[in-house]
Amino acid sequence: MKTQASEITPQALYLRRREWLAALALPGGAAASVLPATRSVVSGGQVMDAPTRKQDATSYNNFYEFGTEKDDPVREAHRLRTRPWTVSVEGECLKPRSFGIEDLLKLAPMEERIYRLRCVEGWSMVIPWIGYSLSALLKQVEPKGNAKFVEFVTLADRDQMPGLRSSVIDWPYLEGLRLDEAQHPLTLLGFGMYGELLPKQNGAPLRLVVPWKYGFKSAKSLVKIRLVEKPPVTSWMASAPREYGFFSNVNPQVDHPRWSQATERRIGEDAGGLGGLFAKRRPTLMFNGYGEQVASLYTGMDLRRFF
């Protein structure tokens, strides 16, 4: 039986409102570890995907600003200072402005959404994120009619991020979405996971979460969002254009030039916990299983060409 995207969240979780203490900025730049009242908004149904263990999701990360090995972020991200933090939203909009992190935390009701995460490297997780639809922020700045795309710029601070010494890409890390993708209800501005504020190695204090695209599209530690007329050249497009396209939708029928995308290994399913190279693999779902919600965004497009 085909797994539906709606089946990723247990019905009990969908119906239950979870209460959390308020997220308060504390002296010295610290913050409470929990977020305000949250609830799942992803449709309930039979449980088909168990959430990844928090220990695995916070210790097996791609965050090249802190190094290219999977355990570099958890070891090095303690350097990151997440208070104070400001995000500038600018470009083709009527009301450009900067938002402090405290303002963003209160901008819209927080929701818990359990999403699949599929890495382009062929592994996957299931993570309970906390945040709200990016569209809530975009509405605040009122995009102009000529705004067709959204560019995301992440922090690039060599004092805090030792991985910036690497030349694997040109810094800062840049990502982009078409405006209708950015405004889609599933596109999340994430502030937390597992009921707590985002760990630094997972993109604190806020990140993008686009569940039907490969994980590298979900830019971490955002500092700037630009509305633009033309598609931005993203970091991986500039670094390896043959391997990484602008859309980067999860598609088991379009292989990476160096490996198949037809299957994936779920982190934590093997006895060792992190899914070794010989761990059991599962079929990858088109649009990561969210086709019912997002396939209409690409009607008439050749997804092999626009990969």
Side-chain angles (χ1 to χ4, degrees):
M1 181 172 60
K2 182 179 179 181
T3 303
Q4 299 295 322
S6 61
E7 293 171 342
I8 196 131
T9 303
Q11 188 171 17
L13 186 59
Y14 170 67
L15 296 174
R16 186 176 72 244
R17 178 176 293 274
R18 301 174 63 186
E19 298 297 333
W20 308 95
L21 297 174
L24 299 174
L26 300 178
S33 63
V34 292
L35 286 175
T38 66
R39 65 187 178 113
S40 171
V41 297
V42 183
S43 298
Q46 182 180 0
V47 181
M48 301 296 290
D49 295 71
T52 300
R53 293 189 309 163
K54 177 183 174 183
Q55 176 184 347
D56 293 339
T58 56
S59 63
Y60 190 85
N61 308 108
N62 282 332
F63 199 167
Y64 281 12
E65 285 87 337
F66 295 104
T68 57
E69 299 299 324
K70 295 294 186 288
D71 59 352
D72 283 339
V74 70
R75 186 173 57 250
E76 301 288 352
H78 65 89
R79 305 165 183 255
L80 182 63
R81 298 184 296 274
T82 60
R83 297 294 190 281
W85 194 278
T86 301
V87 179
S88 173
V89 186
E90 58 188 49
E92 300 300 329
C93 54
L94 295 175
K95 297 181 178 179
R97 58 173 287 196
S98 293
F99 296 82
I101 186 62
E102 290 78 13
D103 296 326
L104 290 171
L105 285 167
K106 297 181 292 184
L107 183 69
M110 293 286 175
E111 304 163 344
E112 180 171 76
R113 304 186 186 182
I114 304 180
Y115 282 166
R116 297 183 186 93
L117 169 69
R118 172 59 154 84
C119 181
V120 73
E121 297 169 346
W123 54 265
S124 61
M125 296 185 182
V126 178
I127 297 178
W129 301 104
I130 296 176
Y132 48 77
S133 292
L134 174 64
S135 60
L137 175 59
L138 297 178
K139 287 178 183 177
Q140 296 292 312
V141 300
E142 298 184 14
K144 295 180 182 178
N146 61 333
K148 304 299 181 185
F149 296 87
V150 185
E151 180 183 60
F152 303 91
V153 184
T154 68
L155 181 69
D157 186 331
R158 293 181 181 272
D159 292 335
Q160 302 181 63
M161 297 172 154
L164 267 63
R165 293 192 291 265
S166 167
S167 59
V168 62
I169 61 173
D170 290 331
W171 308 104
Y173 189 85
L174 303 177
E175 256 307 333
L177 296 172
R178 215 168 55 190
L179 181 59
D180 58 345
E181 296 176 319
Q183 293 175 323
H184 192 280
L186 286 185
T187 301
L188 190 72
L189 197 59
F191 299 88
M193 56 192 291
Y194 297 91
E196 300 177 352
L197 292 173
L198 278 174
K200 294 179 179 181
Q201 65 268 26
N202 291 92
L206 78 163
R207 61 172 290 165
L208 195 64
V209 184
V210 193
W212 71 94
K213 295 179 179 286
Y214 292 117
F216 66 87
K217 296 294 290 185
S218 296
K220 305 177 179 76
S221 299
L222 296 171
V223 294
K224 188 173 293 186
I225 298 173
R226 296 191 186 110
L227 291 115
V228 295
E229 293 188 61
K230 297 180 180 180
V233 178
T234 68
S235 289
W236 285 114
M237 289 174 65
S239 178
R242 179 173 170 267
E243 299 185 7
Y244 302 103
F246 177 80
F247 288 96
S248 298
N249 293 317
V250 175
N251 189 341
Q253 301 174 9
V254 177
D255 291 337
H256 187 281
R258 289 180 280 136
W259 57 80
S260 170
Q261 295 289 15
T263 64
E264 64 201 62
R265 57 188 176 94
R266 180 62 52 79
I267 298 301
E269 282 191 338
D270 69 322
L274 290 179
L277 293 176
F278 300 103
K280 183 180 73 172
R281 302 186 71 85
R282 63 175 64 208
T284 288
L285 303 174
M286 184 67 192
F287 296 117
N288 205 22
Y290 297 92
E292 182 178 344
Q293 291 93 334
V294 303
S296 61
L297 295 174
Y298 311 102
T299 300
M301 290 179 59
D302 181 349
L303 299 181
R304 290 183 177 273
R305 177 184 176 191
F306 298 102
F307 63 95

